[in-house]
Amino acid sequence: MAAPFTLRKIGVPPNSANLTEARRRVFDFFRAACRSIPTIMDIYNLQDVVAPSQLRFAISAQIRNNAHITDPKVIDLLLFKGMEELTDIVDHAKQRHHIIGQYVVGEGLVQNTGNKDQGRTDFLKNFYTSNYF
Amino acid sequence: MASLSTTSLSFKAPSTRISQVLRKGSSFQSVAFGRFASSTSKTSLRLQISCAAKAETVQKVSDIVKEQLALTADTPLTAESKFTALGADSLDTVEIVMALEEKFNISVEESDAQNITTIQEAADLIEDLVQKKPAA
């Protein structure tokens, strides 16, 4: 059996210098999350409800949702929030129905309604900037 | 290890199996190899080139890759196919490595994971880690 993985809580690291480092951090976060999946399934008794591969897919889907972002600082912030969420889940600060509702996907959840900031038209974006367009 | 693999290049397919048994020593039984000899005839040619991974491992890795990338059953999948050629982006590659970690109960370091680009490399790395694990 591989050594059990524990999520070590470190302080906020300095911002990533460039996109490459931000990518590396994204993959580190993804690896940490995937390695915590056995613990999560154990804590919330998800053995019959979902398979680890489905949880991995849910995590990667959320990461892919933000895949179009190029600013390292924005990526850092998203990673911070992701890490916060992961820590909460592993600390049993959430409950089973939260996990099932948010990650064992159902239809019509807010997270599934497509990427942010992508409207069919630019009407509202122009409207927010000025009255005349 | 490098010298052993070059000597086994000169063997024909059945002998490659036997040379693998001799190299890996006591941790594997020869009965297991006999079981796979018939089912892996199409991979034996590739094993002549890179004799470091068992065909069973390569098959398991291919199954995981197929499932992860949602490939159809008739997609040509050889041991040398690159993940990017099969339509995987970098996050998919990391996900495949994590799925392999779970399946084989190993722990892949980040430095090792960077170098995995084909199915054969993944199978080789898995073989190394599985061998090192009982010894640790």
mmCIF file of all heavy atoms in Angstrom, chain A residues 56-98:
data_model
loop_
_atom_site.group_PDB
_atom_site.id
_atom_site.type_symbol
_atom_site.label_atom_id
_atom_site.label_comp_id
_atom_site.label_asym_id
_atom_site.label_seq_id
_atom_site.Cartn_x
_atom_site.Cartn_y
_atom_site.Cartn_z
ATOM 1 N N ARG A 56 -12.247 12.336 -9.695
ATOM 2 C CA ARG A 56 -11.129 12.941 -10.413
ATOM 3 C C ARG A 56 -11.638 13.738 -11.598
ATOM 4 O O ARG A 56 -11.140 14.824 -11.899
ATOM 5 C CB ARG A 56 -10.177 11.848 -10.919
ATOM 6 C CG ARG A 56 -9.126 11.459 -9.944
ATOM 7 C CD ARG A 56 -8.015 10.722 -10.651
ATOM 8 N NE ARG A 56 -8.477 9.467 -11.196
ATOM 9 C CZ ARG A 56 -8.435 8.326 -10.534
ATOM 10 N NH1 ARG A 56 -7.936 8.279 -9.331
ATOM 11 N NH2 ARG A 56 -8.877 7.230 -11.084
ATOM 12 N N PHE A 57 -12.618 13.178 -12.271
ATOM 13 C CA PHE A 57 -13.169 13.884 -13.427
ATOM 14 C C PHE A 57 -13.830 15.178 -12.995
ATOM 15 O O PHE A 57 -13.712 16.200 -13.679
ATOM 16 C CB PHE A 57 -14.171 12.983 -14.153
ATOM 17 C CG PHE A 57 -14.801 13.659 -15.309
ATOM 18 C CD1 PHE A 57 -14.092 13.839 -16.489
ATOM 19 C CD2 PHE A 57 -16.089 14.152 -15.231
ATOM 20 C CE1 PHE A 57 -14.661 14.481 -17.565
ATOM 21 C CE2 PHE A 57 -16.655 14.797 -16.308
ATOM 22 C CZ PHE A 57 -15.950 14.963 -17.471
ATOM 23 N N ALA A 58 -14.541 15.147 -11.867
ATOM 24 C CA ALA A 58 -15.204 16.378 -11.394
ATOM 25 C C ALA A 58 -14.172 17.450 -11.094
ATOM 26 O O ALA A 58 -14.346 18.624 -11.448
ATOM 27 C CB ALA A 58 -16.040 16.061 -10.154
ATOM 28 N N ILE A 59 -13.076 17.035 -10.434
ATOM 29 C CA ILE A 59 -12.034 18.022 -10.104
ATOM 30 C C ILE A 59 -11.423 18.578 -11.388
ATOM 31 O O ILE A 59 -11.245 19.791 -11.538
ATOM 32 C CB ILE A 59 -10.942 17.372 -9.230
ATOM 33 C CG1 ILE A 59 -11.543 16.861 -7.933
ATOM 34 C CG2 ILE A 59 -9.849 18.372 -8.929
ATOM 35 C CD1 ILE A 59 -10.565 16.097 -7.096
ATOM 36 N N SER A 60 -11.104 17.698 -12.324
ATOM 37 C CA SER A 60 -10.466 18.201 -13.547
ATOM 38 C C SER A 60 -11.427 19.044 -14.361
ATOM 39 O O SER A 60 -11.010 19.983 -15.036
ATOM 40 C CB SER A 60 -9.929 17.039 -14.378
ATOM 41 O OG SER A 60 -10.982 16.256 -14.835
ATOM 42 N N ALA A 61 -12.731 18.746 -14.274
ATOM 43 C CA ALA A 61 -13.705 19.569 -15.002
ATOM 44 C C ALA A 61 -13.721 20.981 -14.448
ATOM 45 O O ALA A 61 -13.799 21.959 -15.201
ATOM 46 C CB ALA A 61 -15.091 18.945 -14.904
ATOM 47 N N GLN A 62 -13.626 21.087 -13.123
ATOM 48 C CA GLN A 62 -13.605 22.418 -12.546
ATOM 49 C C GLN A 62 -12.341 23.169 -12.927
ATOM 50 O O GLN A 62 -12.369 24.380 -13.163
ATOM 51 C CB GLN A 62 -13.676 22.312 -11.018
ATOM 52 C CG GLN A 62 -14.947 21.680 -10.535
ATOM 53 C CD GLN A 62 -15.637 22.549 -9.534
ATOM 54 O OE1 GLN A 62 -15.043 23.452 -8.989
ATOM 55 N NE2 GLN A 62 -16.890 22.275 -9.289
ATOM 56 N N ILE A 63 -11.219 22.448 -12.996
ATOM 57 C CA ILE A 63 -9.980 23.115 -13.404
ATOM 58 C C ILE A 63 -10.082 23.543 -14.855
ATOM 59 O O ILE A 63 -9.682 24.642 -15.245
ATOM 60 C CB ILE A 63 -8.781 22.175 -13.173
ATOM 61 C CG1 ILE A 63 -8.598 21.935 -11.684
ATOM 62 C CG2 ILE A 63 -7.525 22.760 -13.774
ATOM 63 C CD1 ILE A 63 -7.437 21.039 -11.357
ATOM 64 N N ARG A 64 -10.658 22.674 -15.682
ATOM 65 C CA ARG A 64 -10.773 22.992 -17.101
ATOM 66 C C ARG A 64 -11.708 24.159 -17.366
ATOM 67 O O ARG A 64 -11.567 24.874 -18.356
ATOM 68 C CB ARG A 64 -11.314 21.779 -17.852
ATOM 69 C CG ARG A 64 -10.328 21.130 -18.724
ATOM 70 C CD ARG A 64 -10.979 19.943 -19.370
ATOM 71 N NE ARG A 64 -10.547 18.719 -18.735
ATOM 72 C CZ ARG A 64 -9.447 18.081 -19.084
ATOM 73 N NH1 ARG A 64 -8.704 18.546 -20.048
ATOM 74 N NH2 ARG A 64 -9.111 16.994 -18.471
ATOM 75 N N ASN A 65 -12.660 24.335 -16.446
ATOM 76 C CA ASN A 65 -13.591 25.440 -16.565
ATOM 77 C C ASN A 65 -12.850 26.768 -16.626
ATOM 78 O O ASN A 65 -13.289 27.719 -17.269
ATOM 79 C CB ASN A 65 -14.490 25.411 -15.322
ATOM 80 C CG ASN A 65 -15.866 25.887 -15.623
ATOM 81 O OD1 ASN A 65 -16.184 26.117 -16.774
ATOM 82 N ND2 ASN A 65 -16.653 26.043 -14.597
ATOM 83 N N ASN A 66 -11.723 26.819 -15.928
ATOM 84 C CA ASN A 66 -10.930 28.052 -15.894
ATOM 85 C C ASN A 66 -9.678 27.941 -16.720
ATOM 86 O O ASN A 66 -8.716 28.659 -16.483
ATOM 87 C CB ASN A 66 -10.550 28.374 -14.450
ATOM 88 C CG ASN A 66 -11.763 28.742 -13.643
ATOM 89 O OD1 ASN A 66 -12.607 29.484 -14.110
ATOM 90 N ND2 ASN A 66 -11.858 28.204 -12.445
ATOM 91 N N ALA A 67 -9.660 27.053 -17.670
ATOM 92 C CA ALA A 67 -8.420 26.790 -18.400
ATOM 93 C C ALA A 67 -8.034 27.934 -19.315
ATOM 94 O O ALA A 67 -6.892 28.019 -19.752
ATOM 95 C CB ALA A 67 -8.562 25.515 -19.220
ATOM 96 N N HIS A 68 -8.978 28.844 -19.588
ATOM 97 C CA HIS A 68 -8.683 29.882 -20.567
ATOM 98 C C HIS A 68 -7.973 31.074 -19.936
ATOM 99 O O HIS A 68 -7.656 32.029 -20.611
ATOM 100 C CB HIS A 68 -9.986 30.354 -21.199
ATOM 101 C CG HIS A 68 -10.973 30.826 -20.170
ATOM 102 N ND1 HIS A 68 -11.733 29.975 -19.406
ATOM 103 C CD2 HIS A 68 -11.289 32.069 -19.755
ATOM 104 C CE1 HIS A 68 -12.494 30.670 -18.569
ATOM 105 N NE2 HIS A 68 -12.240 31.947 -18.768
ATOM 106 N N ILE A 69 -7.719 31.023 -18.650
ATOM 107 C CA ILE A 69 -7.160 32.203 -17.985
ATOM 108 C C ILE A 69 -5.665 32.250 -18.152
ATOM 109 O O ILE A 69 -4.980 31.233 -18.039
ATOM 110 C CB ILE A 69 -7.546 32.165 -16.500
ATOM 111 C CG1 ILE A 69 -9.053 32.203 -16.421
ATOM 112 C CG2 ILE A 69 -6.919 33.288 -15.739
ATOM 113 C CD1 ILE A 69 -9.592 32.512 -15.110
ATOM 114 N N THR A 70 -5.115 33.432 -18.427
ATOM 115 C CA THR A 70 -3.687 33.537 -18.684
ATOM 116 C C THR A 70 -2.950 34.374 -17.652
ATOM 117 O O THR A 70 -1.733 34.404 -17.673
ATOM 118 C CB THR A 70 -3.453 34.193 -20.054
ATOM 119 O OG1 THR A 70 -4.131 35.442 -20.068
ATOM 120 C CG2 THR A 70 -3.962 33.308 -21.152
ATOM 121 N N ASP A 71 -3.649 35.064 -16.771
ATOM 122 C CA ASP A 71 -2.963 35.917 -15.801
ATOM 123 C C ASP A 71 -2.516 35.084 -14.605
ATOM 124 O O ASP A 71 -3.367 34.496 -13.923
ATOM 125 C CB ASP A 71 -3.934 37.012 -15.353
ATOM 126 C CG ASP A 71 -3.279 38.044 -14.477
ATOM 127 O OD1 ASP A 71 -2.055 37.917 -14.223
ATOM 128 O OD2 ASP A 71 -3.964 38.977 -14.051
ATOM 129 N N PRO A 72 -1.198 35.019 -14.298
ATOM 130 C CA PRO A 72 -0.744 34.150 -13.201
ATOM 131 C C PRO A 72 -1.372 34.515 -11.863
ATOM 132 O O PRO A 72 -1.619 33.635 -11.027
ATOM 133 C CB PRO A 72 0.771 34.358 -13.159
ATOM 134 C CG PRO A 72 1.126 34.908 -14.475
ATOM 135 C CD PRO A 72 -0.057 35.657 -14.979
ATOM 136 N N LYS A 73 -1.653 35.812 -11.653
ATOM 137 C CA LYS A 73 -2.205 36.186 -10.342
ATOM 138 C C LYS A 73 -3.622 35.658 -10.184
ATOM 139 O O LYS A 73 -4.022 35.218 -9.097
ATOM 140 C CB LYS A 73 -2.213 37.704 -10.207
ATOM 141 C CG LYS A 73 -0.852 38.277 -10.028
ATOM 142 C CD LYS A 73 -0.914 39.697 -9.478
ATOM 143 C CE LYS A 73 0.495 40.261 -9.415
ATOM 144 N NZ LYS A 73 0.555 41.639 -9.909
ATOM 145 N N VAL A 74 -4.378 35.715 -11.284
ATOM 146 C CA VAL A 74 -5.748 35.189 -11.218
ATOM 147 C C VAL A 74 -5.705 33.689 -10.954
ATOM 148 O O VAL A 74 -6.478 33.151 -10.153
ATOM 149 C CB VAL A 74 -6.495 35.502 -12.535
ATOM 150 C CG1 VAL A 74 -7.863 34.887 -12.524
ATOM 151 C CG2 VAL A 74 -6.574 36.999 -12.729
ATOM 152 N N ILE A 75 -4.759 33.026 -11.628
ATOM 153 C CA ILE A 75 -4.632 31.582 -11.424
ATOM 154 C C ILE A 75 -4.283 31.292 -9.977
ATOM 155 O O ILE A 75 -4.823 30.363 -9.353
ATOM 156 C CB ILE A 75 -3.561 31.012 -12.382
ATOM 157 C CG1 ILE A 75 -4.033 31.161 -13.821
ATOM 158 C CG2 ILE A 75 -3.288 29.560 -12.076
ATOM 159 C CD1 ILE A 75 -3.026 30.686 -14.834
ATOM 160 N N ASP A 76 -3.379 32.113 -9.408
ATOM 161 C CA ASP A 76 -3.012 31.905 -8.004
ATOM 162 C C ASP A 76 -4.213 32.034 -7.095
ATOM 163 O O ASP A 76 -4.398 31.256 -6.151
ATOM 164 C CB ASP A 76 -1.965 32.945 -7.571
ATOM 165 C CG ASP A 76 -0.598 32.585 -8.068
ATOM 166 O OD1 ASP A 76 -0.405 31.422 -8.454
ATOM 167 O OD2 ASP A 76 0.272 33.466 -8.077
ATOM 168 N N LEU A 77 -5.036 33.023 -7.383
ATOM 169 C CA LEU A 77 -6.208 33.222 -6.522
ATOM 170 C C LEU A 77 -7.170 32.046 -6.647
ATOM 171 O O LEU A 77 -7.705 31.556 -5.653
ATOM 172 C CB LEU A 77 -6.910 34.528 -6.898
ATOM 173 C CG LEU A 77 -8.009 34.882 -5.904
ATOM 174 C CD1 LEU A 77 -7.415 35.121 -4.553
ATOM 175 C CD2 LEU A 77 -8.777 36.087 -6.368
ATOM 176 N N LEU A 78 -7.371 31.580 -7.878
ATOM 177 C CA LEU A 78 -8.264 30.437 -8.069
ATOM 178 C C LEU A 78 -7.721 29.212 -7.353
ATOM 179 O O LEU A 78 -8.479 28.435 -6.756
ATOM 180 C CB LEU A 78 -8.438 30.145 -9.561
ATOM 181 C CG LEU A 78 -9.238 31.191 -10.325
ATOM 182 C CD1 LEU A 78 -9.088 30.956 -11.819
ATOM 183 C CD2 LEU A 78 -10.696 31.119 -9.940
ATOM 184 N N LEU A 79 -6.397 29.053 -7.400
ATOM 185 C CA LEU A 79 -5.797 27.923 -6.711
ATOM 186 C C LEU A 79 -5.962 28.053 -5.211
ATOM 187 O O LEU A 79 -6.178 27.066 -4.500
ATOM 188 C CB LEU A 79 -4.304 27.823 -7.045
ATOM 189 C CG LEU A 79 -4.002 27.193 -8.379
ATOM 190 C CD1 LEU A 79 -2.519 27.169 -8.603
ATOM 191 C CD2 LEU A 79 -4.535 25.782 -8.430
ATOM 192 N N PHE A 80 -5.860 29.286 -4.717
ATOM 193 C CA PHE A 80 -6.034 29.502 -3.290
ATOM 194 C C PHE A 80 -7.426 29.085 -2.868
ATOM 195 O O PHE A 80 -7.618 28.394 -1.862
ATOM 196 C CB PHE A 80 -5.779 30.974 -2.959
ATOM 197 C CG PHE A 80 -5.931 31.298 -1.519
ATOM 198 C CD1 PHE A 80 -4.931 30.946 -0.622
ATOM 199 C CD2 PHE A 80 -7.058 31.927 -1.033
ATOM 200 C CE1 PHE A 80 -5.066 31.234 0.720
ATOM 201 C CE2 PHE A 80 -7.191 32.210 0.311
ATOM 202 C CZ PHE A 80 -6.190 31.863 1.186
ATOM 203 N N LYS A 81 -8.413 29.496 -3.661
ATOM 204 C CA LYS A 81 -9.784 29.131 -3.317
ATOM 205 C C LYS A 81 -9.998 27.628 -3.439
ATOM 206 O O LYS A 81 -10.696 27.015 -2.646
ATOM 207 C CB LYS A 81 -10.766 29.878 -4.218
ATOM 208 C CG LYS A 81 -10.681 31.374 -4.045
ATOM 209 C CD LYS A 81 -11.860 32.081 -4.678
ATOM 210 C CE LYS A 81 -13.126 31.927 -3.876
ATOM 211 N NZ LYS A 81 -13.057 32.516 -2.538
ATOM 212 N N GLY A 82 -9.355 27.045 -4.466
ATOM 213 C CA GLY A 82 -9.477 25.607 -4.605
ATOM 214 C C GLY A 82 -8.866 24.868 -3.434
ATOM 215 O O GLY A 82 -9.430 23.901 -2.908
ATOM 216 N N MET A 83 -7.706 25.365 -2.999
ATOM 217 C CA MET A 83 -7.029 24.735 -1.877
ATOM 218 C C MET A 83 -7.859 24.881 -0.608
ATOM 219 O O MET A 83 -7.939 23.961 0.211
ATOM 220 C CB MET A 83 -5.662 25.404 -1.685
ATOM 221 C CG MET A 83 -4.688 24.579 -0.926
ATOM 222 S SD MET A 83 -4.318 23.071 -1.831
ATOM 223 C CE MET A 83 -3.571 22.136 -0.540
ATOM 224 N N GLU A 84 -8.498 26.050 -0.466
ATOM 225 C CA GLU A 84 -9.351 26.285 0.699
ATOM 226 C C GLU A 84 -10.505 25.276 0.714
ATOM 227 O O GLU A 84 -10.812 24.675 1.753
ATOM 228 C CB GLU A 84 -9.884 27.717 0.604
ATOM 229 C CG GLU A 84 -10.604 28.194 1.819
ATOM 230 C CD GLU A 84 -11.136 29.610 1.603
ATOM 231 O OE1 GLU A 84 -11.254 30.039 0.436
ATOM 232 O OE2 GLU A 84 -11.445 30.252 2.600
ATOM 233 N N GLU A 85 -11.101 25.086 -0.461
ATOM 234 C CA GLU A 85 -12.208 24.143 -0.573
ATOM 235 C C GLU A 85 -11.746 22.736 -0.240
ATOM 236 O O GLU A 85 -12.407 22.005 0.513
ATOM 237 C CB GLU A 85 -12.754 24.209 -2.013
ATOM 238 C CG GLU A 85 -13.801 23.209 -2.337
ATOM 239 C CD GLU A 85 -15.176 23.701 -1.980
ATOM 240 O OE1 GLU A 85 -15.304 24.871 -1.587
ATOM 241 O OE2 GLU A 85 -16.116 22.903 -2.058
ATOM 242 N N LEU A 86 -10.588 22.355 -0.782
ATOM 243 C CA LEU A 86 -10.069 21.009 -0.535
ATOM 244 C C LEU A 86 -9.787 20.810 0.943
ATOM 245 O O LEU A 86 -10.109 19.767 1.524
ATOM 246 C CB LEU A 86 -8.796 20.792 -1.353
ATOM 247 C CG LEU A 86 -8.139 19.435 -1.173
ATOM 248 C CD1 LEU A 86 -9.037 18.351 -1.676
ATOM 249 C CD2 LEU A 86 -6.821 19.402 -1.913
ATOM 250 N N THR A 87 -9.199 21.832 1.580
ATOM 251 C CA THR A 87 -8.894 21.719 3.007
ATOM 252 C C THR A 87 -10.176 21.573 3.813
ATOM 253 O O THR A 87 -10.242 20.765 4.745
ATOM 254 C CB THR A 87 -8.114 22.952 3.476
ATOM 255 O OG1 THR A 87 -7.051 23.188 2.568
ATOM 256 C CG2 THR A 87 -7.538 22.728 4.848
ATOM 257 N N ASP A 88 -11.195 22.351 3.454
ATOM 258 C CA ASP A 88 -12.465 22.232 4.168
ATOM 259 C C ASP A 88 -13.021 20.828 4.049
ATOM 260 O O ASP A 88 -13.511 20.245 5.022
ATOM 261 C CB ASP A 88 -13.501 23.208 3.589
ATOM 262 C CG ASP A 88 -13.244 24.629 4.047
ATOM 263 O OD1 ASP A 88 -12.474 24.791 4.999
ATOM 264 O OD2 ASP A 88 -13.813 25.555 3.446
ATOM 265 N N ILE A 89 -12.967 20.291 2.849
ATOM 266 C CA ILE A 89 -13.544 18.965 2.642
ATOM 267 C C ILE A 89 -12.778 17.915 3.434
ATOM 268 O O ILE A 89 -13.375 17.061 4.098
ATOM 269 C CB ILE A 89 -13.564 18.623 1.143
ATOM 270 C CG1 ILE A 89 -14.544 19.531 0.422
ATOM 271 C CG2 ILE A 89 -13.935 17.174 0.921
ATOM 272 C CD1 ILE A 89 -14.597 19.300 -1.055
ATOM 273 N N VAL A 90 -11.449 18.008 3.392
ATOM 274 C CA VAL A 90 -10.655 16.992 4.075
ATOM 275 C C VAL A 90 -10.785 17.124 5.578
ATOM 276 O O VAL A 90 -10.702 16.134 6.317
ATOM 277 C CB VAL A 90 -9.182 17.106 3.626
ATOM 278 C CG1 VAL A 90 -8.289 16.255 4.486
ATOM 279 C CG2 VAL A 90 -9.049 16.692 2.191
ATOM 280 N N ASP A 91 -11.030 18.346 6.082
ATOM 281 C CA ASP A 91 -11.200 18.551 7.515
ATOM 282 C C ASP A 91 -12.582 18.167 8.001
ATOM 283 O O ASP A 91 -12.902 18.407 9.166
ATOM 284 C CB ASP A 91 -10.994 20.037 7.853
ATOM 285 C CG ASP A 91 -9.538 20.410 7.860
ATOM 286 O OD1 ASP A 91 -8.711 19.484 7.877
ATOM 287 O OD2 ASP A 91 -9.240 21.610 7.834
ATOM 288 N N HIS A 92 -13.407 17.626 7.135
ATOM 289 C CA HIS A 92 -14.766 17.237 7.499
ATOM 290 C C HIS A 92 -15.580 18.453 7.933
ATOM 291 O O HIS A 92 -16.461 18.354 8.787
ATOM 292 C CB HIS A 92 -14.756 16.194 8.618
ATOM 293 C CG HIS A 92 -15.928 15.268 8.569
ATOM 294 N ND1 HIS A 92 -17.130 15.577 7.960
ATOM 295 C CD2 HIS A 92 -16.089 14.033 9.083
ATOM 296 C CE1 HIS A 92 -17.948 14.573 8.078
ATOM 297 N NE2 HIS A 92 -17.359 13.621 8.749
ATOM 298 N N ALA A 93 -15.256 19.611 7.359
ATOM 299 C CA ALA A 93 -16.031 20.798 7.670
ATOM 300 C C ALA A 93 -17.290 20.849 6.824
ATOM 301 O O ALA A 93 -18.168 21.670 7.056
ATOM 302 C CB ALA A 93 -15.189 22.049 7.429
ATOM 303 N N LYS A 94 -17.374 20.011 5.807
ATOM 304 C CA LYS A 94 -18.583 19.930 4.991
ATOM 305 C C LYS A 94 -19.315 18.657 5.349
ATOM 306 O O LYS A 94 -18.833 17.824 6.122
ATOM 307 C CB LYS A 94 -18.199 19.893 3.517
ATOM 308 C CG LYS A 94 -17.558 21.162 3.049
ATOM 309 C CD LYS A 94 -17.789 21.336 1.575
ATOM 310 C CE LYS A 94 -17.575 22.778 1.202
ATOM 311 N NZ LYS A 94 -18.280 23.151 0.003
ATOM 312 N N GLN A 95 -20.498 18.504 4.757
ATOM 313 C CA GLN A 95 -21.251 17.294 5.030
ATOM 314 C C GLN A 95 -21.491 16.527 3.749
ATOM 315 O O GLN A 95 -21.250 17.025 2.651
ATOM 316 C CB GLN A 95 -22.581 17.654 5.686
ATOM 317 C CG GLN A 95 -22.372 18.156 7.085
ATOM 318 C CD GLN A 95 -23.654 18.656 7.680
ATOM 319 O OE1 GLN A 95 -24.541 19.086 6.972
ATOM 320 N NE2 GLN A 95 -23.729 18.595 8.993
ATOM 321 N N ARG A 96 -21.976 15.312 3.929
ATOM 322 C CA ARG A 96 -22.062 14.406 2.795
ATOM 323 C C ARG A 96 -22.920 14.974 1.670
ATOM 324 O O ARG A 96 -22.593 14.831 0.505
ATOM 325 C CB ARG A 96 -22.633 13.083 3.277
ATOM 326 C CG ARG A 96 -22.471 11.964 2.327
ATOM 327 C CD ARG A 96 -22.732 10.659 3.025
ATOM 328 N NE ARG A 96 -22.584 9.560 2.109
ATOM 329 C CZ ARG A 96 -23.584 8.945 1.500
ATOM 330 N NH1 ARG A 96 -24.805 9.336 1.732
ATOM 331 N NH2 ARG A 96 -23.350 7.955 0.667
ATOM 332 N N HIS A 97 -24.012 15.622 2.028
ATOM 333 C CA HIS A 97 -24.893 16.100 0.960
ATOM 334 C C HIS A 97 -24.252 17.251 0.192
ATOM 335 O O HIS A 97 -24.556 17.459 -0.978
ATOM 336 C CB HIS A 97 -26.250 16.514 1.508
ATOM 337 C CG HIS A 97 -26.205 17.702 2.410
ATOM 338 N ND1 HIS A 97 -25.868 17.623 3.728
ATOM 339 C CD2 HIS A 97 -26.445 19.009 2.158
ATOM 340 C CE1 HIS A 97 -25.918 18.822 4.259
ATOM 341 N NE2 HIS A 97 -26.266 19.684 3.334
ATOM 342 N N HIS A 98 -23.334 17.985 0.853
ATOM 343 C CA HIS A 98 -22.611 19.017 0.127
ATOM 344 C C HIS A 98 -21.757 18.396 -0.952
ATOM 345 O O HIS A 98 -21.755 18.825 -2.108
ATOM 346 C CB HIS A 98 -21.695 19.815 1.067
ATOM 347 C CG HIS A 98 -22.422 20.600 2.098
ATOM 348 N ND1 HIS A 98 -22.152 20.493 3.440
ATOM 349 C CD2 HIS A 98 -23.391 21.524 1.979
ATOM 350 C CE1 HIS A 98 -22.939 21.319 4.105
ATOM 351 N NE2 HIS A 98 -23.698 21.948 3.256
#
